[in-house]
Structures are given as C-alpha cells and as structure tokens.
Amino acid sequence: MNYQLNNINIYSNSINEFELDLLNILKENKSRQIITLNLDFLRNTKFNDEFRNICESSKLVLPDGAGITFLIRAKYNTTINRITGNDVFPLLLKIANDNNYRVALIGSTPSVLDKVEIKIKKIYRNLSHNLLCISPKYHFEKDETINLKIVNEIKSFKPDIVFTALGSPRQEIWLYKNMNLFQSKINVGVGAVFDFYSGEKKRSPIFFQNFGLEWLWRLTTEPIRLFKRYILLDLPFLIKSILLKNY
C-alpha cells in the first residue's frame, strides 16, 4: 500500500528490504536522494515549497521520527517501523565497505568529524582509502567561491555515497542542487548522526527508542536548543494535524 503525508510517499518496508533497495539503487547509474523524515521535516514541508518538492521527488522518504509513524497510524490505521538516520548511516557504511564504494561525509565540526573518521577507519578497513571528510564553515554554501571549491573536491573524489550533516532543510537542499555534479548514487542528510556516531552526544536508551520517546530524551539533554522546536512548533503541529485530519 502507498502511504502518504502531505502528498509525500512514505517508505514502509522492513529494514531488511531497505538494505536490498539500497543495493539496487547503488547499481543504478543515477543520483538518488533519500530523506529521513521526522515531524519537524514534515512541518517544514507545509510552508517550504522547495523542501516539499525535494521530498516529493526523492527516491525514498524514510519514517525517521515517531511523529511520522504516529500520523501514519492515525491516517491509515496501520503500523510501520521507523528507519532512522542512525540506522541508515552504519548500514550504508557496511555496504560501502563490503563493495568498495566511496563515501563522502560533509558537515559537523572538525573535532566531531575527526572522531567519526577514526571510528569508521577502525571498523571498516576498506574505507581507509575510500573516505572523504569535509567540515566546512557555517553556511559555506552562501559563499560561491568556498561552495565551488567544496563541490569540486567532492566531484574529484567521485563518491558513490554522500552524507551531509548541515541541519535541515539546508542539507537536503544542498544535496539536491549538487548531487548530479557529484554523480553520487545515494545522497542523504543525516542531521545529528555524526554527533551520535562519534560519541559527542549520547543517543537515548533502547527503552526510549522502542516506545517512540527518543524526542523526549533529546529534549531533556538539550532543552535550550530543542524546546522551541519540539514543544512550541512540532507538538502543536502534530495535535492540529490529528484534530483537523490535515495529513
């Protein structure tokens, strides 16, 4: 069955089927984008036409957040499993390692990215010479000279997979504009995943993840940064969507 939220098709297959889909995408000679959709992303698609169009045209839109699976359950009376950025990142690293694909990581701070690079090269030995890590300055894409330099560096590296950690919707928009230049086959924005993977931030305990409360854990660990997003913006959006059946 085809599940949609705001006219965006939501991926509903299992994680095992997802791995097979990734392998098939990597065999295609096309640049594809994958979106890890959470409630804040969905809210943004309501007023950001560019971002909504990117989501609509993406190869796969994954149900990353508990708010997304909750809305699917409310709209279709069915349950689908979350596939988060934290799931996608190590899965694609494993696939790249096993098949000698080249991976580029763009974003985050130099200290976080250094930790990510060290960990990847320790776990995935085949990525030692197939990994590019770039930590650009904030809003680098607004500087044409710097942006072009980074784009050209990625093009020269010829990655098969590109991850960006620039914050949404910046990361998705930047990938959409540049992925055909890279000729990378899979392109995905992963937000805070580099922070979690590096150990810079601690991911919520399994209990919170299993019960869809990962957002609550993150709120308690970063209340100043996330209170406005989660409580003042996303929660009212969720309630309004359900009451008005505005999916």
Side-chain angles (χ1 to χ4, degrees):
M1 183 174 178
N2 188 29
Y3 302 111
Q4 288 191 339
L5 294 175
N6 196 24
N7 295 318
I8 298 168
N9 292 322
I10 308 299
Y11 188 81
S12 59
N13 291 348
S14 69
I15 190 70
N16 291 331
E17 292 170 311
F18 176 58
E19 183 172 1
L20 293 175
D21 287 335
L22 292 176
L23 289 168
N24 288 329
I25 293 170
L26 284 163
K27 293 175 183 177
E28 299 175 0
N29 191 27
K30 294 181 180 179
S31 293
R32 303 292 198 177
Q33 190 162 6
I34 295 175
I35 305 293
T36 56
L37 193 76
N38 60 33
L39 193 62
D40 198 61
F41 283 34
L42 183 64
R43 181 181 60 81
N44 280 327
T45 66
K46 291 289 187 176
F47 58 84
N48 187 327
D49 291 340
E50 182 180 22
F51 184 43
R52 187 187 69 252
N53 290 336
I54 289 172
C55 290
E56 288 178 353
S57 65
S58 293
K59 178 66 174 180
L60 300 176
V61 178
L62 307 178
D64 182 295
I68 299 301
T69 57
F70 185 85
L71 286 175
I72 291 292
R73 186 162 63 249
K75 183 176 182 179
Y76 295 98
N77 193 30
T78 192
T79 299
I80 63 173
N81 294 320
R82 293 173 63 206
I83 300 178
T84 72
N86 288 297
D87 300 318
V88 176
F89 187 60
L91 178 56
L92 275 172
L93 290 178
K94 179 182 180 300
I95 289 173
N97 183 73
D98 293 345
N99 296 276
N100 289 313
Y101 289 126
R102 298 170 72 80
V103 178
L105 312 182
I106 317 300
S108 196
T109 64
S111 61
V112 167
L113 205 55
D114 284 346
K115 292 177 183 177
V116 171
E117 182 175 5
I118 291 170
K119 183 174 179 179
I120 288 175
K121 289 182 176 180
K122 182 178 180 181
I123 298 174
Y124 306 102
R125 297 304 175 93
N126 288 340
L127 290 179
S128 294
H129 302 292
N130 287 329
L131 183 67
L132 174 68
C133 297
I134 301 176
S135 176
K137 73 173 188 177
Y138 189 58
H139 282 306
F140 69 94
E141 70 273 23
K142 293 183 178 181
D143 186 314
E144 290 186 14
T145 301
I146 295 176
N147 185 67
L148 182 60
K149 180 181 178 182
I150 290 173
V151 168
N152 285 335
E153 185 175 355
I154 299 168
K155 282 174 61 179
S156 298
F157 179 70
K158 297 180 180 179
D160 299 286
I161 301 167
V162 177
F163 294 102
T164 54
L166 306 172
S168 183
R170 278 182 62 217
Q171 58 194 15
E172 287 80 21
I173 292 172
W174 187 80
L175 277 175
Y176 182 79
K177 290 179 177 179
N178 295 289
M179 63 184 184
N180 287 314
L181 297 174
F182 306 151
Q183 296 185 358
S184 43
K185 298 177 180 68
I186 290 181
N187 304 270
V188 54
V190 291
V193 167
F194 292 176
D195 293 323
F196 294 122
Y197 192 80
S198 68
E200 190 76 12
K201 292 181 181 179
K202 185 178 179 182
R203 198 179 175 196
S204 66
I206 296 297
F207 171 85
F208 283 82
Q209 296 176 38
N210 290 343
F211 285 90
L213 297 173
E214 196 162 6
W215 65 272
L216 181 59
W217 170 268
R218 292 195 64 190
L219 179 61
T220 59
T221 56
E222 299 180 81
I224 295 176
R225 187 175 76 87
L226 295 176
F227 182 82
K228 179 180 178 181
R229 182 198 304 178
Y230 287 171
I231 303 303
L232 300 184
L233 296 176
D234 290 349
L235 184 58
F237 169 74
L238 177 64
I239 295 171
K240 182 179 179 180
S241 297
I242 293 170
L243 292 179
L244 298 181
K245 297 188 181 300
N246 182 20
Y247 307 111

